[in-house]
Structures are given as structure tokens and as C-alpha cells.
Amino acid sequence: MTTAGTSHPIPEGKVLSDNEFVAGVADRLAALPNVRAVTLGGSRAAGTHGPDSDWDFALYYRDRFDPADLRAVGWAGEVSELGAWGGVFNGCAWLTIDGRPVDVHYRDLTVVEHEYAEAELGRFRWEPLAFHLAGIPSYLVVGELAGARVLRGSLPRPGFPAAMRAAAPPIWRRQAALTLRYARTAYAPRGRLTETAGALATAAMQTAHAIAAGRGEWVTNEKRLLDRAGLRDIDEIVGGLTDDPAALSRAVDAARDLFTTADAADSGS
């Protein structure tokens, strides 16, 4: 992998085109010590962005990365330490560059390569992650490679492994079933509306992960996951909740029926 290329510094005061902006950021990130590749991901890479969408860059480093080197570039914002976002997701910087909101994710190539090998064998683990109701699977960092635009260096573009397509859906379904069972026995009978609502939302995301994995689709965040999985009808169930224990129990049962029907229909398609 290389990080060489034509330098595109970001000049002060100039209004940059999107291409100039991306090239300038990529060059600055690629020049940081031990960085081997830089990507653009998220909606900007997929072409589904809106005018207010942020820019999701990732830097892939080998052996060691010091966030102080990123801070030294001088971009305004918050730069986390390594591991601040978990063992897989690692770390992230929230920055403003050329007046644009930018996320820079840190990706350890040793970790990514390990999770890639594990995914090929149908193995993954679950991790909590801020802002994600269902947490994330460790294969998320592999899925990022599949949808990202490589700006500097070289990286693989993996397909969804057949072994993972077989292994992941039942694991996600079991998590969803356990979440609903706990809501049905611990929250609903006591009239715990908020707790029940949270459990339904979490189980919906877990079921959506099962559906996506069964299709062989990578998931890198939850933003559009329910829509992708055809589970938007959970809104009606959650929106109609009251603190009546019997009504809450019926809502949990209705959610279970919705998830079962959607999962079965998708598996049979």
C-alpha cells in the first residue's frame, strides 16, 4: 500500500469544490505517520447524501497511530484517543474542515484483517457502541471496506461471506427474542412504558440485522436499517404505547409477530 500522490493542500479563503475538498483532506490524512490508506465512506461514498450530510473519512494505519498527530494538523473539533469507541470501532475525530462537518475514523489494519478472516469463517462478536441501539457486529469494519471509496493506498473490497450469511441471522434473531422476552416478563407487566419502548426498538434493530445478514448485505450503521429491512411498521406499535400493563404486553406480542412475519417473508423471497 502507498500513500504517495499529488498534494492537494487546502488553501485559506478559497471556496473548494467537493473534489478539491476530498483530495485535500485525503492528502493530509495519508501523510500522517503509519497511515497506509484513506477512504471516504457513508452517504457521500454511496451517493445518498443530502446537502447537510457530513463527510465520513477513515484512515487505516499499520502498527501504531497517535491521535496527537491528527490534532497537530490544526482542524477544529474533537479528536478521541485510540480505543475510545471500543475495540473494533476504535476511535473517531469530529471535525470542521473548510466549514464542513467531518468524521475521521481510526482503523487498525491488524484488527480489520483479523475481522475479515473471522467473517470468512462465519464468526463475529457483538460490541456496544454509542448511538447504536443494537450495538455493532465486529464484521462492521469489513462491511465498511465493501462500500467505501478508497482515496489513497489500496484496500480489499470484500463480498459478504457465505459462512456469515448462514451464521449471523440466527444469532441476531436470538438476541431479538431474548430482548422481547425480557420486555414481556419484566417491563410490560409493571407498566414500564419507556423500558418497553426501548426494548421494542432494540429488538427491531436486532431483527433488521438478521434480515440484512440473511440477504448478504453489509450493515455499517442503523440510520436506515429499519427501512432496509422492511420493519418501519414498528413505528405504529411504539407510537401507540400506553402505560397499561395489558396494552404493553399486547404491543410486545404484536412486535414479535411483525418481526417473525418480516423475517420469514424475507427468508422465503
Side-chain angles (χ1 to χ4, degrees), residues 7-8 17 23 37-38 45 47 53 83 101 103 114 120 132 154 173 178 197-198 226 244 251 255 260 265:
S7 177
H8 295 81
S17 69
V38 177
S53 297
D103 293 349
H114 171 75
E120 290 285 339
H132 289 66
S154 61
R173 289 189 201 108
L178 291 173
L226 293 182
D244 173 64
T260 300

Side-chain angles (χ1 to χ4, degrees), residues 8-11 15-28 40 44 54-57 75 95-102 151:
H8 295 81
I10 300 178
V15 178
L16 300 178
S17 69
D18 286 350
N19 287 340
E20 290 173 323
F21 169 74
V22 168
V25 173
D27 281 339
R28 295 297 294 272
L40 177 68
R44 295 284 179 177
D54 59 9
W55 296 78
D56 293 303
F57 293 88
W75 289 321
L95 305 170
T96 300
I97 306 174
D98 187 43
R100 312 182 198 210
V102 172
L151 304 173

Side-chain angles (χ1 to χ4, degrees), residues 99-223:
R100 312 182 198 210
V102 172
D103 293 349
V104 177
H105 304 288
Y106 318 151
R107 296 292 178 263
D108 184 334
L109 279 167
T110 300
V111 172
V112 173
E113 289 162 356
H114 171 75
E115 298 305 340
Y116 191 176
E118 288 290 280
E120 290 285 339
L121 297 173
R123 297 199 295 249
F124 75 99
R125 66 186 185 282
W126 171 91
E127 278 195 3
L129 180 64
F131 320 123
H132 289 66
L133 293 173
I136 60 168
S138 54
Y139 57 74
L140 176 145
V141 293
V142 185
E144 287 177 335
L145 296 176
R149 176 180 155 199
V150 180
L151 304 173
R152 300 291 181 271
S154 61
L155 292 166
R157 184 174 293 273
F160 202 96
M164 185 63 73
R165 190 169 180 174
I171 293 173
W172 285 113
R173 289 189 201 108
R174 175 170 171 76
Q175 286 190 323
L178 291 173
T179 301
L180 289 178
R181 182 186 304 172
Y182 195 82
R184 188 67 165 78
T185 58
Y187 296 149
R190 295 172 175 81
R192 306 298 192 211
L193 190 155
T194 298
E195 291 88 334
T196 302
L200 295 184
T202 300
M205 291 296 184
Q206 292 164 336
T207 303
H209 270 288
I211 290 173
R215 294 174 181 170
E217 295 178 358
W218 295 110
V219 173
T220 56
N221 61 60
E222 294 180 344
K223 293 178 183 177

Side-chain angles (χ1 to χ4, degrees), residues 9-97:
I10 300 178
E12 293 292 334
K14 179 183 177 182
V15 178
L16 300 178
S17 69
D18 286 350
N19 287 340
E20 290 173 323
F21 169 74
V22 168
V25 173
D27 281 339
R28 295 297 294 272
L29 295 176
L32 296 176
N34 296 322
V35 172
R36 298 292 181 264
V38 177
T39 65
L40 177 68
S43 62
R44 295 284 179 177
T48 59
H49 60 280
D52 298 326
S53 297
D54 59 9
W55 296 78
D56 293 303
F57 293 88
L59 58 84
Y60 289 78
Y61 65 91
R62 177 71 69 188
D63 299 328
R64 181 180 179 275
F65 173 71
D66 188 346
D69 292 326
L70 179 56
R71 293 190 190 98
V73 174
W75 289 321
E78 178 182 344
V79 178
S80 82
E81 296 301 323
L82 292 180
W85 289 70
V88 171
F89 203 83
N90 201 352
C92 179
W94 291 341
L95 305 170
T96 300
I97 306 174

